[in-house]
Amino acid sequence: MAELPQSVLFCCDHNAVRSPMAEGIMKKLFGTDAYVQSVGVVNDLEIDGFAIAVCAEMDVALSRHRSRSFEELEEMGEALSGFDVIVTLSPASQRRALELTRFYHLTVEYWPIMDPTGIGETREQKLNAYRQTRDQIAGKLREKWG
């Protein structure tokens, strides 16, 4: 098990499902022991209602999350170089993170987390897909940092 980093940035495609889930779950599991943020390659979607619902089942509140991109994070005064670890949850975010940090000495890790959007026909099927993603993220966090 790796030592918990001081700061972690999670990223996915839109900062609407996987990366906000990862941010919220990590904060739930580790509290203030690590500084945690999340971004997307683009910010063109609001937080997903199914992500909010399945995270609420484990007492992780995402309803106040505001999606943002890598660029918006930097515009807010957060430098990518200030994070110890960037965890990418999609191939597009992996490419973008490596591109933006190629001159920095920090770790970029790729966790292939399932994208639940578009899976299932009924509400219950969709919720089950989102639960799988949530549980995959929680399991990876516990496996990596305890």
PDB file of all heavy atoms in Angstrom, residues 33 43 72 82 90 137:
ATOM      1  N   ASP A  33      -6.761  14.531   5.460  1.00  0.00           N
ATOM      2  CA  ASP A  33      -5.384  14.025   5.403  1.00  0.00           C
ATOM      3  C   ASP A  33      -4.725  14.288   4.052  1.00  0.00           C
ATOM      4  O   ASP A  33      -3.503  14.243   3.934  1.00  0.00           O
ATOM      5  CB  ASP A  33      -5.340  12.522   5.700  1.00  0.00           C
ATOM      6  CG  ASP A  33      -5.705  12.224   7.152  1.00  0.00           C
ATOM      7  OD1 ASP A  33      -5.687  13.157   7.988  1.00  0.00           O
ATOM      8  OD2 ASP A  33      -6.015  11.054   7.445  1.00  0.00           O
ATOM      9  N   ASN A  43     -15.252  21.201 -19.745  1.00  0.00           N
ATOM     10  CA  ASN A  43     -16.346  21.447 -18.800  1.00  0.00           C
ATOM     11  C   ASN A  43     -17.566  21.829 -19.618  1.00  0.00           C
ATOM     12  O   ASN A  43     -17.803  22.994 -19.886  1.00  0.00           O
ATOM     13  CB  ASN A  43     -15.966  22.572 -17.830  1.00  0.00           C
ATOM     14  CG  ASN A  43     -17.158  23.019 -17.000  1.00  0.00           C
ATOM     15  OD1 ASN A  43     -18.151  22.329 -16.898  1.00  0.00           O
ATOM     16  ND2 ASN A  43     -17.070  24.202 -16.431  1.00  0.00           N
ATOM     17  N   GLU A  72      -9.706  25.859 -16.247  1.00  0.00           N
ATOM     18  CA  GLU A  72     -10.447  26.602 -15.220  1.00  0.00           C
ATOM     19  C   GLU A  72      -9.820  26.420 -13.844  1.00  0.00           C
ATOM     20  O   GLU A  72      -9.786  27.356 -13.046  1.00  0.00           O
ATOM     21  CB  GLU A  72     -11.917  26.170 -15.207  1.00  0.00           C
ATOM     22  CG  GLU A  72     -12.672  26.678 -16.423  1.00  0.00           C
ATOM     23  CD  GLU A  72     -14.021  26.005 -16.597  1.00  0.00           C
ATOM     24  OE1 GLU A  72     -14.128  24.781 -16.388  1.00  0.00           O
ATOM     25  OE2 GLU A  72     -14.966  26.725 -16.958  1.00  0.00           O
ATOM     26  N   GLY A  82       1.348  21.814  -8.426  1.00  0.00           N
ATOM     27  CA  GLY A  82       1.191  21.772  -6.979  1.00  0.00           C
ATOM     28  C   GLY A  82       0.612  20.460  -6.458  1.00  0.00           C
ATOM     29  O   GLY A  82       0.554  20.244  -5.251  1.00  0.00           O
ATOM     30  N   SER A  90      -9.849   8.232 -17.449  1.00  0.00           N
ATOM     31  CA  SER A  90     -10.281   7.977 -18.826  1.00  0.00           C
ATOM     32  C   SER A  90      -9.070   8.162 -19.741  1.00  0.00           C
ATOM     33  O   SER A  90      -8.136   8.901 -19.399  1.00  0.00           O
ATOM     34  CB  SER A  90     -11.390   8.957 -19.239  1.00  0.00           C
ATOM     35  OG  SER A  90     -10.865  10.271 -19.343  1.00  0.00           O
ATOM     36  N   ILE A 137     -14.222   2.721  -7.929  1.00  0.00           N
ATOM     37  CA  ILE A 137     -13.405   3.838  -7.438  1.00  0.00           C
ATOM     38  C   ILE A 137     -13.057   3.646  -5.965  1.00  0.00           C
ATOM     39  O   ILE A 137     -11.893   3.761  -5.575  1.00  0.00           O
ATOM     40  CB  ILE A 137     -14.128   5.185  -7.660  1.00  0.00           C
ATOM     41  CG1 ILE A 137     -14.218   5.505  -9.154  1.00  0.00           C
ATOM     42  CG2 ILE A 137     -13.431   6.315  -6.894  1.00  0.00           C
ATOM     43  CD1 ILE A 137     -15.174   6.632  -9.498  1.00  0.00           C
TER      44      ILE A 137
END
